[in-house]
Amino acid sequence: MSEIASELDSESSNERFARGSRLVDLLSKTGLSLAILAVILYGSFSSPAFFTTGNFLNILTSMSIIGIVVVGMTFVLVVGGLADLSVPATIACGAILSLGLQPVIGPVPAFVVAVALSGLIGSVNGVLVGYLGVNPIIATLGIGTIALGIVQAAVGGVIVYGANPESAEFVKGRLFGIPVVVLIFLAVAVIGHFILARSFWGRWTLATGGNYSAAEASAVPVKAVKAGAFVITAVAAGISGGLLGLTLQSARPLIGQGYEFSAITAVVVGGVSIMGGFGSVPRAIAGLIFVQLLTNVMVLDGVRTPIQGFVLGILIAGAVGMDSALRKRGVA
Amino acid sequence: MRQTIAIVLQYRVAIILALTLTVSGLIVPGYLSETTLSLGLDRAAAIGLIATGLTVLLIAGQIDLSGGAIFALAGIVSTILQPSLGILPAALVGVFVGGLCGAINGGLVVGLKVNSLVLTLATMLIFRAVAHWITNSQPVTGTDIMFSLTMAQIYLDIFSIRSALFIVCIILLHLWLTRTIAGRNVFAVGSNATAAEESGVAAGRVVFFGFIFAGSLAGVAGVLQSLVTNTGSPVFGSELTVAVIAAVVVGGTRLEGGRGSALGTLGGVLTMAALTMAMEFQSVPAYLQQVVSGLILILLVVLDRTVHTRGRAAGAIPLLVTQNPITTGGKP
C-alpha cells in the first residue's frame, strides 16, 4: 500500500516531467491577470485620463452591455457549439421590441416579452443545432437573418424610439454609486458562473463539450444541453439588447452588428477553447476586461481605429495559437 | 417512390433554380430577357468567384471568413498601383496579394493547428484593418474610367468578362475535383484528415493550398470589382461573407467537410442571385428578402441533415463494403 503511494509520489514529483508543464501551467493561469496588470500600468503612465474613477466607470458601463452577451457565448463555446452568429439579430430583437412595445403594454412587460422572444430565437437555434445536428455556424447565421427580417417587418423596417423616459432614467441611473447596467451585468455574470461551475447543468455542459459520445453514454441529455447553450446565449443577448435600446432610447435593425465577433473575441482571449469542454465565466470576463482596457488605452493614446482592429486580430490569433499549444501539452 | 424522392433531392438545387426562374418569369415582366439575365449573372459573379474558392476549403473541412476582407484589400492594392505599374500589372499584383493573404491564413491554420473559424475571424479583422490603413479609410479611384466600361461590356449577349471567368472557373474546378487524384484527396482530407494522412495524403499541404486558392479567387473577385467600378474601397465586401457561405451551402456542400461539388455551388450562386433579383424587381422590402433567403438556407440544410436517401448512402459507401463477396457469400 505504502509502496504504491510512494510510487505515485515519485511519479508526480518527477522533475523532468513537471518542470516544463509547471511553468506553462502557471503561465496559463496567471498570464491574463499579468497582461491586465501590464495594460493598467502602461495606461496610467501614458495617459493622465486613464487612472480615474470616471474612466473606469466608462469602461465598466461599456463593458456591461457586451459582457452580458459574453456570459452566454461562454456556454456556446464550452458546449462545443463553435459560435452563435445570431447575436446581432437577438440584440436587435431585444432592443427593437423592448422600445417598440412600450406604448402598447408598458416598459417592464415590453422588456420581458422582448427577452422571451429572444429566447425563442435561441430555442430555434438550439433545436436545429442540438436535435437536428445542423452546423451551428449555418443554423445561427440563417436563423439570425430570418429573425432580424421578421422583427423589422413587425415594426415596419424603421428606427424605433423610446416612449417612456422613466425606464430610460432607471437604466441610466445609479444604485449605490454604481450604474444600474453594471449591476445587471454583475448579476448575470454571477448567475452564469454559478450555473457553469456549480450546477449539474454546468457539469453536463462541460461533459458534452469535452467528449460528446462519452457524455451521451453517461446518460447526459447531450441534445438538450447543446440546445440549452444557445437558449442561454439568446436570452443574454436579448437582455443586453433591451438594455442597449433603453440606454440609447432608439433602436435600429443593425444595432447589434459586430457584437457577435466582439463576444467571441473576449471569450477566446479569455482562454476558453473553441473546441469545447473547457472554460469558465470568470476567464471569459477576464478576457473581456483585457480587451476593453486595451481598446480604452489605445483610444486615449489616439491610436487610429484601423490599427486597433489590427491589434485585436493579432490578439485573437495569438490566443487561439496559445490554446492549441497548451492543449498539446495537456495543461489547458 | 423512394427512388423519385432520391432523384428530386439529388437535383434539388437545379429544381429550385428552375422553379425560381419559371415563377419569376411569369410574375416579373421582362425578367427572362437577355439584358436582365446577363446583368444578374454579372452581379452574381463576384459572389460566385469567392464561392468557388470557398467550395474547395469547405470540402477540405475548413472555413474562411476573411474572403470579404481579402476582396477589399486586393481591389485597393490593384487600384493604388495603377498609376505606377499600369492597369494589368497592378491587377496581377492585386491577385497576388489575395493569394498571399490566403497563404497567411493557410500557414497559420496548418502551422498552429488552430480552428480555421476563429483564425480567419482574426485575419478578417487584420486584413480589413490593413485596407483601412493604406487608404486612410477613403475610397481610392483608378486612372482610366474608360477601361471600366470595357470591363462591364456584355459579350455574346449574355457574358461579361467577370461572369465568363466565373463560369470557366467553376467548370475547371468541377473537372479538377471529379477527375484528378489531387481533387479526390481534398475530399479525403475533408472527411477524415487522420485517415487521409495515414494513407499518404499530405493533409496539411492540401489545406494550405486550399487557403491559397480561396484567397487568390477572392483577390480576383476584388480586383475585377475595382476594375468595373474604377474604385477601391476598404468597406467593399463586408456583407459578402454571409452571402458566399449561404450560396455554397445551398449548393449542397457540407461545412463538416468531405462532401460537396463545384456544380452545386454554381447552382447555389445562381439560385440566390435569381431570387434576389426577382424580389428586387418586385420591390420586396430588404428585410423580407432576408427572411426568404434565410428560410431557403435553413430548409435546404435541414433537408440535407434529416433525409438520408438510399442513393446518397450508396455513393458514400464503397462497393466493396456493400457488395462484399465474403458477407454476401460470394453471390453477386
Side-chain angles (χ1 to χ4, degrees):
Chain A
M1 194 62 183
S2 63
E3 258 175 52
I4 297 171
S6 67
E7 190 83 4
L8 281 174
D9 202 40
S10 75
E11 195 146 331
S12 65
S13 63
N14 187 327
E15 270 298 307
R16 202 171 41 145
F17 193 74
R19 202 175 357 156
S21 72
R22 202 182 291 151
L23 187 72
V24 176
D25 194 29
L26 196 72
L27 209 72
S28 83
K29 283 206 176 97
T30 58
L32 200 55
S33 331
L34 288 178
I36 292 175
L37 220 68
V39 173
I40 293 181
L41 274 177
Y42 175 77
S44 342
F45 281 117
S46 73
S47 164
F50 178 76
F51 208 87
T52 55
T53 325
N55 189 39
F56 279 130
L57 271 183
N58 272 342
I59 298 177
L60 262 178
T61 316
S62 72
M63 194 179 101
S64 299
I65 300 280
I66 182 76
I68 297 173
V69 183
V70 165
V71 173
M73 196 66 100
T74 310
F75 280 82
V76 170
L77 266 85
V78 168
V79 86
L82 287 178
D84 185 346
L85 298 186
S86 69
V87 160
T90 30
I91 286 184
C93 173
I96 290 179
L97 291 183
S98 64
L99 288 186
L101 292 179
Q102 267 182 359
V104 192
I105 53 176
V108 177
F111 189 80
V112 172
V113 168
V115 173
L117 280 178
S118 300
L120 189 70
I121 299 173
S123 55
V124 177
N125 281 333
V127 167
L128 285 176
V129 176
Y131 289 89
L132 295 179
V134 177
N135 184 295
I137 306 288
I138 287 298
T140 53
L141 210 59
I143 293 300
T145 319
I146 297 172
L148 193 57
I150 293 177
V151 170
Q152 274 180 271
V155 296
V158 291
I159 298 178
V160 180
Y161 296 98
N164 186 294
E166 292 100 62
S167 61
E169 278 313 307
F170 173 72
V171 170
K172 280 187 236 171
R174 292 182 181 186
L175 220 62
F176 317 118
I178 306 168
V180 173
V181 183
V182 176
L183 289 175
I184 296 176
F185 162 56
L186 287 178
V188 170
V190 167
I191 295 171
H193 177 60
F194 179 79
I195 294 177
L196 190 57
R198 295 266 181 275
S199 78
F200 68 95
W201 191 266
R203 259 197 323 276
W204 285 352
T205 304
L206 284 157
T208 306
N211 189 334
Y212 189 84
S213 317
E216 196 173 21
S218 321
V220 173
V222 278
K223 290 177 175 173
V225 169
K226 206 157 192 180
F230 286 90
V231 178
I232 292 173
T233 307
V235 169
I239 295 175
S240 169
L243 293 176
L244 189 61
L246 288 175
T247 313
L248 299 175
Q249 280 300 297
S250 72
R252 54 196 178 85
L254 295 182
I255 192 169
Q257 213 177 26
Y259 273 74
E260 78 279 37
F261 290 143
S262 311
I264 296 171
T265 306
V267 178
V268 170
V269 168
V272 175
S273 173
I274 184 117
M275 308 308 287
F278 172 80
S280 71
V281 172
R283 258 178 190 270
I285 290 177
L288 175 68
I289 293 175
F290 178 61
V291 172
Q292 292 283 331
L293 283 175
L294 195 67
T295 315
N296 183 260
V297 169
M298 286 195 286
V299 169
L300 287 180
D301 279 2
V303 177
R304 284 172 41 213
T305 328
I307 301 175
Q308 290 178 24
F310 193 81
V311 171
L312 274 186
I314 289 186
L315 206 62
I316 305 175
V320 281
M322 209 150 89
D323 174 53
S324 102
L326 291 176
R327 223 160 224 274
K328 243 177 276 164
R329 288 176 178 254
V331 178
Chain B
M1 187 58 202
R2 253 193 106 98
Q3 211 79 35
T4 331
I5 296 177
I7 291 172
V8 167
L9 279 175
Q10 198 174 356
Y11 295 104
R12 60 192 188 282
V13 186
I15 293 171
I16 293 177
L17 178 59
L19 271 179
T20 315
L21 286 177
T22 322
V23 173
S24 323
L26 290 175
I27 296 175
V28 186
Y31 184 79
L32 289 177
S33 74
E34 274 167 358
T35 331
T36 323
L37 288 184
S38 59
L39 281 176
L41 197 60
D42 184 54
R43 269 180 44 186
I47 289 179
L49 280 168
I50 308 179
T52 311
L54 194 66
T55 308
V56 175
L57 268 186
L58 287 189
I59 293 175
Q62 307 288 333
I63 196 169
D64 185 1
L65 298 181
S66 67
I70 297 178
F71 178 85
L73 188 59
I76 287 169
V77 169
S78 72
T79 314
I80 282 186
L81 292 179
Q82 271 182 14
S84 50
L85 291 181
I87 291 179
L88 284 179
L92 284 179
V93 173
V95 175
F96 176 76
V97 166
L100 193 70
C101 291
I104 293 174
N105 282 336
L108 288 173
V109 166
V110 175
L112 298 176
K113 289 193 170 47
V114 294
N115 183 297
S116 55
L117 176 78
V118 192
L119 190 103
T120 53
L121 167 66
T123 52
M124 174 185 87
L125 292 175
I126 295 176
F127 296 153
R128 192 146 315 264
V130 173
H132 275 281
W133 197 7
I134 54 182
T135 57
N136 244 330
S137 300
Q138 300 292 320
V140 287
T141 37
T143 47
D144 187 5
I145 185 117
M146 293 316 285
F147 191 80
S148 57
L149 288 181
T150 31
M151 286 299 297
Q153 194 137 34
I154 305 283
Y155 297 95
L156 298 175
D157 289 336
I158 187 91
F159 289 117
S160 66
I161 291 179
R162 252 203 302 192
S163 50
L165 195 63
F166 162 53
I167 304 282
V168 169
C169 278
I170 278 282
I171 291 171
L172 284 181
L173 180 67
H174 174 71
L175 293 177
W176 187 74
L177 282 176
T178 51
R179 298 267 187 278
T180 66
I181 296 172
R184 202 177 53 206
N185 286 349
V186 176
F187 285 91
V189 171
S191 43
N192 189 334
T194 322
E197 192 90 46
E198 295 294 325
S199 322
V201 178
R205 203 191 306 164
V206 169
V207 170
F208 180 67
F209 282 108
F211 271 106
I212 292 189
F213 180 67
S216 308
L217 275 187
V220 170
V223 168
L224 287 175
Q225 176 78 12
S226 288
L227 286 178
V228 170
T229 55
N230 199 35
T231 319
S233 163
V235 296
F236 270 178
S238 49
E239 72 299 320
L240 274 183
T241 312
V242 175
V244 167
I245 295 177
V248 178
V249 171
V250 164
T253 300
R254 279 248 184 118
L255 262 85
E256 287 80 6
R259 224 180 59 210
S261 75
L263 291 185
T265 297
L266 175 64
V269 170
L270 292 182
T271 305
M272 292 315 235
L275 257 179
T276 318
M277 210 164 61
M279 289 191 288
E280 277 175 6
F281 268 47
Q282 287 301 90
S283 317
V284 176
Y287 46 84
L288 286 182
Q289 290 186 25
Q290 285 183 349
V291 176
V292 173
S293 15
L295 273 177
I296 286 188
L297 175 64
I298 291 293
L299 261 180
L300 281 173
V301 175
V302 169
L303 261 184
D304 194 45
R305 289 300 311 191
T306 48
V307 188
H308 291 281
T309 52
R310 208 192 301 156
R312 190 174 300 143
I317 302 170
L319 267 185
L320 194 62
V321 177
T322 51
Q323 295 171 13
N324 190 325
I326 298 168
T327 50
T328 54
K331 277 168 274 176

